[in-house]
Amino acid sequence: MPRPILATIHSAALQHNLARARQAAPDAKTWAVVKANAYGHGIERAFEGLRSADGFALLDLEEAQRVRALGWRGPILLLEGVFETRDLELCSRLDLWHTVHCDEQIDMLAAHKTNLPHRVFLKLNSGMNRLGFTPERFRSAWARLNALAQVDEISLMTHFSDADGARGIIHQTRVFNEVTRDLPGERTLSNSAATLRHMTDHAATDSDPQDSLVSDWIRPGILLYGSSPDHPQHTSADWGLLPTMTLSSKIIATQAIDTGASVGYGSNFVADKPMTIGVVACGYADGYPRVCPTGTPILVAGQRTRTLGRVSMDMLAVDLTPLLRAGLSVGFGTEVTLWGRASNAAVLSIDEVAYAAGTLGYELMCALARRVPAQVQD
Ligand SMILES: *Cc1c(COP(=O)(O)O)cnc(C)c1O
């Protein structure tokens, strides 16, 4: 028998979360962002739940090919555009829309031979200072693209640096609206955090049109996967999101230990009373963060308890003492939910585990290890 660890991808939850995104921006079309192998879920496994999106946005040409291989004929957007000239041939062949964020990409397009002009998304650097043309250079880039026979429609795009934080999005929204004011073309601005946190405020107020976040396409990623973009300020439950990935395993051993006994490498945890611990078949080689300290929440038989001591490569320890005291029969073979949804429908958000590890749900999903088998379920 294989080790009992398993990742379950929930199609119905993906559908539900996509519907939440649409609800937050009812007039916009939705790019389902499936970069990084659908945030670790597996593009092929996530596709069923996300197929009612208006398009798929990603980074790798190889991922774009996989989406086409699934039979998707709708829009696909390369969020970083092309990296070298021959990528444009694949864009022509697979009808991929691509971001243009620098002069070199315009040079490559100008030299590209294609019968079919390309749909491009011209990116403005409105303050994040990662990709895009500065406000001063944006319009000349637009004019240059507009003059190319290789270019069909030009859409306008920017990305927020602080949509999940205190600084918010107004400063960048103003820059975007100012620079693009009289340019034609569809607009796309919002990631998950902007979609959930700001779309409704903006729709509700009749503030300065320069602050308007109304756009043609939203680009949610993390919210589709049931993680809150601004945990712990708002939890995934606050946003009405459902977990789309459950990481589960089983207890493979128990130990009854006395006061003063330690657990795991480095004797990092020392019992202050007699306890029963469970050993779970999941470790950092499965993608569970090694830095999770004693006390990280975990579900055993769908009941909340805590981890104990250091996470090792293939195992971690949990506290069974309170569950046994409550009369539950937990032991060898009992279901453990590292994150996601337990059999009894109890939920442990990936954000809580990420928070204990000092990181984000994004990183945990993306770091799910290859050795963990996965299944798709409703
Ligand atoms: C990753 C990404 C998104 C999605 O971001 P989330 O925070 O996961 O919603 C949107 N736009 C661009 C350009 C991205 O790279």
Side-chain angles (χ1 to χ4, degrees):
M1 212 181 105
R3 283 170 81 230
I5 192 154
L6 181 66
T8 304
I9 307 305
H10 306 290
S11 285
L14 286 161
Q15 269 172 36
H16 167 93
N17 297 336
L18 177 59
R20 280 290 293 130
R22 288 193 189 285
Q23 217 175 44
D27 299 324
K29 289 173 279 185
T30 305
W31 289 113
V33 180
V34 295
K35 62 189 181 188
N37 200 20
Y39 290 49
H41 289 59
I43 287 181
E44 289 75 11
R45 288 188 284 266
F47 182 70
E48 197 51 45
L50 297 175
R51 67 183 313 151
S52 68
D54 299 289
F56 289 90
L58 39 73
L59 306 180
D60 266 308
L61 283 139
E62 181 263 339
E63 291 183 334
Q65 280 173 300
R66 283 163 59 198
V67 174
R68 284 285 181 245
L70 287 164
W72 177 255
R73 289 161 188 269
I76 295 180
L77 174 62
L78 299 175
L79 289 166
E80 292 177 352
V82 298
F83 306 99
E84 55 179 342
T85 308
R86 65 171 176 189
D87 295 348
L88 288 167
E89 284 156 30
L90 209 56
C91 289
S92 292
R93 184 140 48 85
L94 297 177
D95 188 17
L96 307 179
W97 302 359
H98 50 101
T99 301
V100 171
H101 63 77
C102 64
D103 289 312
E104 291 79 358
Q105 289 176 325
I106 305 183
D107 297 341
M108 286 190 258
L109 255 173
H112 178 54
K113 290 186 180 45
T114 179
N115 297 324
L116 227 62
H118 289 193
R119 168 94 178 246
V120 296
F121 280 63
L122 181 61
K123 187 157 189 179
L124 172 71
N125 171 11
S126 57
M128 186 165 192
N129 291 315
R130 214 172 49 173
L131 299 183
F133 292 91
T134 59
E136 296 71 35
R137 304 260 354 274
F138 189 78
R139 298 182 74 94
S140 63
W142 188 90
R144 221 189 134 199
L145 275 179
N146 193 44
L148 293 182
Q150 291 88 340
V151 171
D152 176 22
E153 219 177 304
I154 306 172
S155 303
L156 312 171
M157 176 178 182
T158 197
H159 192 55
F160 294 123
S161 56
D162 293 80
D164 56 336
R167 191 162 180 225
I169 58 168
I170 288 283
H171 61 296
Q172 285 182 270
T173 307
R174 281 185 185 156
V175 171
F176 180 84
N177 287 337
E178 173 74 30
V179 174
T180 62
R181 191 170 31 195
D182 52 353
L183 292 177
E186 292 194 324
R187 275 117 168 106
T188 176
L189 294 88
S190 296
N191 58 1
S192 296
T195 299
L196 290 173
R197 291 175 45 139
H198 302 284
M199 197 68 75
T200 33
D201 328 341
H202 280 255
T205 60
D206 47 0
S207 53
D208 191 333
Q210 279 304 97
D211 299 347
S212 167
L213 188 55
V214 174
S215 66
D216 302 283
W217 291 86
I218 53 170
R219 304 190 307 272
I222 197 70
L223 86 80
L224 300 176
Y225 306 101
S227 174
S228 167
D230 61 351
H231 183 92
Q233 197 187 344
H234 298 96
T235 65
S236 50
D238 292 339
W239 291 124
L241 303 173
L242 299 176
T244 58
M245 178 195 285
T246 294
L247 180 61
S248 60
S249 186
K250 287 182 177 168
I251 290 177
I252 58 167
T254 60
Q255 303 288 344
I257 61 171
D258 287 327
T259 308
S262 65
V263 177
Y265 284 119
S267 299
N268 195 263
F269 174 81
V270 179
D272 60 1
K273 57 181 189 301
M275 300 176 73
T276 305
I277 66 156
V279 178
V280 182
C282 176
Y284 61 79
D286 300 300
Y288 192 92
R290 183 177 174 279
V291 293
C292 278
T294 290
T296 301
I298 189 164
L299 304 178
V300 175
Q303 307 292 320
R304 235 168 216 271
T305 182
R306 57 179 181 146
T307 64
L308 298 176
R310 279 204 192 139
V311 174
S312 38
M313 182 185 280
D314 311 304
M315 287 175 270
L316 57 81
V318 295
D319 190 359
L320 298 181
T321 321
L323 307 185
L324 291 166
R325 206 179 304 127
L328 293 165
S329 91
V330 291
F332 183 88
T334 299
E335 174 196 62
V336 176
T337 309
L338 289 308
W339 58 68
R341 191 175 81 205
S343 299
N344 70 350
V347 166
L348 172 62
S349 171
I350 195 169
D351 297 330
E352 285 193 65
V353 181
Y355 190 70
T359 183
L360 304 174
Y362 293 80
E363 191 179 356
L364 267 52
M365 307 175 175
C366 293
L368 182 73
R370 250 170 206 283
R371 80 171 186 184
V372 176
Q375 64 172 20
V376 180
Q377 203 181 70
D378 243 19

